[in-house]
Amino acid sequence: MRLLLGIVGLLVLAPAAGTARAQTSTVDIEPWSLERMSEMGQALARQDRAAIAAGERLRRTFDGADPPGLIGSIVVADGDAQRVRFLVERDGHPRAGWDIVVSGSRTGAVVVPPDAPLSDDELAQFRARRTAAANVGAGRCGRYNVFAVRDPESHDWLVWLLANANDLRTVPIDGHFRFRVSADGLTLLRRDRLSAGCALHRRSPGTVQMILYTAGGTPPSEALVYVSIMHGFPISVEDSPTTFVVIDGAELERVTPRPRRRSRR
């Protein structure tokens, strides 16, 4: 069982099979290129895998329970690996409680770091996560996993609240949020709701691909790249009356399907 460090809201279930028609209200989000979606979706998947592995390792250290005083976590690049730093509060300030370095499929030991204040960057990431979580506003959907990455094109933080699946048969296509937060982590600059609804789609044993006929309800985004990577199947998303974006893990391609020919009798 993964260690969930998210927030709790109302969960709305709307099961669907391999194809789905999302709500028709238009979603207006900051436009990104397919290349940027791929890059950020991969970053989200790397961070989530590291958080899952580190959370499981930490819980084993505490006999399957959350450690006492845990208030959250941050993820910091450590060379080619990622250091998941679990935080506690001392004297009203977040401090490092436990560190676990995850490199590929290898999860390092649980390390108790020296008691010292967080670095400016670590503190800014912690603040950015909290700023985003406090500004979900309307449209929240169930439980969330929180991720934060420095925007490679600015000094801002990009923070995601990604809807969490209830079980292995549920695919959280909808309900995700992206936030842009100031470099110090204190000011919300932009909030993008990445879908119009909260539908959770059922993955049947024979699911090899999901096709979303969105009509503006769930546009292509890095959240769907993340979902495709984590669940292991392509997602085709209608992004105009004539084109689809095919998301196959980290590979994205805009295609125009051939019209179906009428059968001749």
Side-chain angles (χ1 to χ4, degrees):
M1 180 179 180
R2 69 162 298 166
L3 183 63
L4 292 175
L5 302 172
I7 59 175
V8 179
L10 296 176
L11 179 62
V12 180
L13 295 179
T19 61
R21 292 190 178 274
Q23 299 181 24
T24 57
S25 59
T26 300
V27 177
D28 181 21
I29 65 174
E30 182 178 274
W32 282 10
S33 67
L34 298 186
E35 292 76 16
R36 185 162 166 78
M37 291 181 199
S38 175
E39 178 185 0
M40 292 294 101
Q42 291 178 76
L44 290 171
R46 284 194 301 269
Q47 196 169 118
D48 195 25
R49 286 169 173 162
I52 291 171
E56 290 174 346
R57 174 62 61 88
L58 186 65
R59 287 175 64 87
R60 287 198 298 271
T61 302
F62 289 88
D63 297 324
D66 290 349
L70 180 69
I71 63 169
S73 68
I74 57 176
V75 182
V76 181
D78 191 341
D80 293 332
Q82 296 188 90
R83 174 166 47 85
V84 182
R85 170 158 281 187
F86 297 93
L87 305 177
V88 296
E89 187 174 294
R90 298 192 184 104
D91 299 323
H93 300 285
R95 313 279 280 204
W98 304 270
D99 282 350
I100 300 176
V101 175
V102 180
S103 179
S105 60
R106 181 180 178 276
T107 304
V110 177
V111 176
V112 178
D115 184 19
L118 301 181
S119 69
D120 290 344
D121 195 67
E122 291 171 339
L123 183 57
Q125 183 185 151
F126 177 71
R127 287 170 171 168
R129 288 168 174 256
R130 288 211 159 177
T131 297
N135 285 278
V136 178
R140 67 173 59 192
C141 305
R143 297 182 301 180
Y144 286 95
N145 300 320
V146 186
F147 306 91
V149 176
R150 279 283 190 190
D151 182 7
E153 298 181 1
S154 72
H155 296 294
D156 301 335
W157 286 98
L158 296 172
V159 184
W160 292 265
L161 270 66
L162 301 185
N164 184 55
N166 278 354
D167 54 57
L168 295 178
R169 298 183 303 276
T170 301
V171 183
I173 296 291
D174 300 312
H176 309 299
F177 291 84
R178 179 210 300 153
F179 301 84
R180 180 176 292 277
V181 181
S182 61
D184 61 7
L186 294 174
T187 304
L188 178 68
L189 303 176
R190 184 182 176 100
R191 170 188 179 273
D192 284 318
R193 188 181 181 192
L194 299 181
S195 66
C198 295
L200 294 178
H201 303 273
R202 291 293 180 186
R203 177 180 183 176
S204 65
T207 299
V208 294
Q209 183 176 15
M210 278 201 168
I211 303 174
L212 303 181
Y213 297 94
T214 65
T218 306
S221 73
E222 67 283 1
L224 295 184
V225 175
Y226 159 83
V227 171
S228 179
I229 292 172
M230 298 300 289
H231 287 266
F233 58 77
I235 301 171
S236 294
V237 188
E238 184 183 34
D239 73 331
S240 82
T242 58
T243 61
F244 279 76
V245 172
V246 180
I247 302 170
D248 189 358
E251 301 296 324
L252 284 77
E253 181 182 9
R254 183 168 281 108
V255 300
T256 302
R258 294 180 180 179
R260 293 182 179 178
R261 294 182 178 180
R262 295 182 178 179
S263 59
R264 296 180 180 180
R265 296 183 178 178

